[in-house]
Amino acid sequence: MPSLAQHILSVPGSGIRRIHEIAIRLDDVVMLAVGEPDVPVAPHIAAAAKAAWDADETNYTANGGIAPLREAIVAKLARDNGIHVDTERVWVTVGATQGLHQAMALTLGPGDEVLVPDPGYTTFTMNARMIEAVPVPYPLRADAGFMPDVAELERLVTDRTRVIIVNSPSNPLGTIFPRETLQQLLDFARRHDLWVISDEVYEAFTWAGEHVSIASLDSDDRVFSVFSFSKTYAMTGIRVGYLVTPPGLAATMRSVQEASISCVNAPGQFAAIAAITGDQSHVAEAREHYRENLAAATELLDARGIRYLAPGGAFYLWVDVAYASGGDVADWAEEFLLEQHVAVAPGNAFGRSGEGWIRLCLAATRDDLLEGIRRLPAP
């Protein structure tokens, strides 16, 4: 049989998905490995999707999404993010996942380099390999509070570098980049004429400090911003996100959307309108639930003497298990799952700098979260 394209063979597997696949074959597993909200979708969102199905709103839509949704997103960006755009810069995508891939495909060619956070979300590297670009990790180190070091970025940038990816609040770390740090990253991008791709999927969940959209600081149109309804509104399976582009790309975006997805499913778009324009109390309730889970989890970790990074946002806890993992946290996490029936995401799934750490999802039931922490080995 014919062979696959060589560059596809270089796409790394997901260490998180490996743990998940083992976990779903076991009984009575405490699931803390994947970022799945444990709260239900709000009734008015589900009702909007059902009404669209009942009204047979099942045809193709415009490539960029239905006008009411794009208009609602424009209003939200101005109100909540300080980003002022028109609808031709807003493109509804199949979750943030497609939005990230789209932004990278627009800005990277074969052999081009992209600076990706390490630890950082797994698909940053996977996407780069899929489009024959070269991911270059920029380390986020514990001794620097997991913040980017611009001096280190200066050492990593080359004449092949085209893009830097910024993720705040961070998955997996939960760190939030202060306004000053974001400005430094923009200044760095400007010095080297780089595109910036900003992943802001966890914007709704902040525990310490403010969330700042880097595009609100952008003065020369170099930022692509990626957002999602999945985490904020517990709509992970509905698959609706959006990409905000620099100006002047509407014709190009229509072509690439048509070639890649044509459009997002119409009922999902109507659900997204209800989510973004409707009652937001369920988001506030989810935020408080995750905040209370965070407080309970850190209290137990403190009592057990297990080190962790206090997150500024998102709904994860980054926990140091180097005392137990023996230099290979991926193998340790698999053994921990098989022996203790607790699924955690190994830190090295997010990059080399994650060795010795694990990511716990706070968007779980309180009982599951605390039981998973109780089963961690004593330091």
Side-chain angles (χ1 to χ4, degrees):
M1 93 185 211
S3 60
L4 296 175
Q6 283 299 305
H7 73 278
I8 292 298
L9 303 179
S10 71
V11 177
S14 168
I16 309 166
R17 180 56 58 177
R18 174 172 171 76
I19 290 291
H20 182 70
E21 293 294 336
I22 297 171
I24 60 178
R25 297 197 298 268
L26 302 175
D27 295 325
D28 301 320
V29 170
V30 177
M31 292 291 291
L32 304 176
V34 295
E36 182 72 67
D38 73 315
V39 298
V41 69
H44 68 278
I45 298 174
K50 181 179 184 301
W53 279 103
D54 290 344
D56 195 28
E57 294 281 3
T58 55
N59 297 325
Y60 288 123
T61 76
N63 295 134
I66 57 179
L69 177 55
R70 297 174 85 186
E71 291 164 0
I73 291 170
V74 165
K76 175 266 182 187
L77 289 168
R79 181 185 66 243
D80 298 343
N81 302 95
I83 302 173
H84 301 278
V85 297
D86 57 35
T87 55
E88 287 292 82
R89 292 176 59 185
V90 172
W91 297 82
V92 182
T93 59
V94 183
T97 301
Q98 188 237 332
L100 285 166
H101 186 275
Q102 196 87 291
M104 294 176 74
L106 286 163
T107 55
L108 293 162
D112 287 342
E113 294 176 357
V114 50
L115 294 165
V116 299
D118 177 7
Y121 185 45
T122 54
T123 59
F124 298 152
T125 295
M126 296 170 77
N127 282 338
R129 294 296 186 191
M130 284 183 69
I131 56 179
E132 297 186 75
V134 179
V136 177
Y138 63 89
L140 305 174
R141 297 190 172 91
D143 58 6
F146 292 99
M147 289 291 159
D149 180 348
V150 174
E152 180 125 36
L153 287 169
E154 293 285 359
R155 290 191 292 272
L156 292 171
V157 71
T158 74
D159 59 2
R160 296 293 299 172
T161 310
R162 295 271 294 157
V163 176
I164 180 171
I165 294 179
V166 177
N167 179 206
S168 175
S170 163
N171 175 13
L173 300 170
T175 50
I176 294 179
F177 294 173
R179 184 180 300 268
E180 297 76 13
T181 300
L182 294 173
Q183 188 61 62
Q184 289 171 5
L185 293 173
L186 262 181
D187 293 343
F188 164 78
R190 189 175 297 112
R191 282 195 299 275
H192 298 282
D193 197 23
L194 307 182
W195 294 107
V196 177
I197 298 175
S198 178
D199 175 350
E200 302 180 36
V201 167
Y202 294 91
E203 60 170 335
F205 304 117
T206 58
W207 322 124
E210 62 171 342
H211 169 65
V212 177
S213 292
I214 194 169
S216 69
L217 310 176
D218 183 21
S219 60
D220 54 358
D221 300 328
R222 65 180 63 250
V223 176
F224 289 81
S225 302
V226 180
F227 299 89
S228 178
F229 291 85
S230 293
K231 311 297 185 178
T232 302
Y233 297 103
M235 291 168 57
T236 53
I238 298 176
R239 309 310 303 137
V240 184
Y242 52 102
L243 172 64
V244 184
T245 73
L249 299 183
T252 298
M253 284 299 301
R254 272 189 283 275
S255 296
V256 297
Q257 285 281 88
E258 175 66 21
S260 57
I261 64 163
S262 182
C263 61
V264 172
N265 76 89
Q269 294 189 58
F270 282 100
I273 294 172
I276 202 170
T277 63
D279 178 23
Q280 302 295 301
S281 62
H282 61 295
V283 179
E285 290 165 4
R287 186 184 301 112
E288 188 58 27
H289 168 52
Y290 304 148
R291 188 193 302 276
E292 290 173 355
N293 276 5
L294 171 62
T298 54
E299 181 180 8
L300 181 55
L301 288 167
D302 286 338
R304 299 204 59 210
I306 298 174
R307 188 169 76 120
Y308 59 90
L309 173 68
F315 51 51
Y316 302 110
L317 253 181
W318 190 241
V319 178
D320 185 356
V321 295
Y323 63 88
S325 60
D328 190 338
V329 75
D331 280 355
W332 177 86
E334 187 171 330
E335 290 176 11
F336 183 57
L337 171 59
L338 294 173
E339 294 173 4
Q340 296 294 328
H341 282 217
V342 178
V344 300
N348 57 7
F350 303 96
R352 188 174 299 174
S353 298
E355 180 55 58
W357 297 77
I358 57 174
R359 188 196 71 177
L360 306 181
C361 180
L362 297 169
T365 67
R366 185 84 43 80
D367 288 347
D368 277 356
L369 178 61
L370 297 182
E371 182 58 30
I373 292 172
R374 289 188 193 100
R375 294 185 197 180
L376 290 174

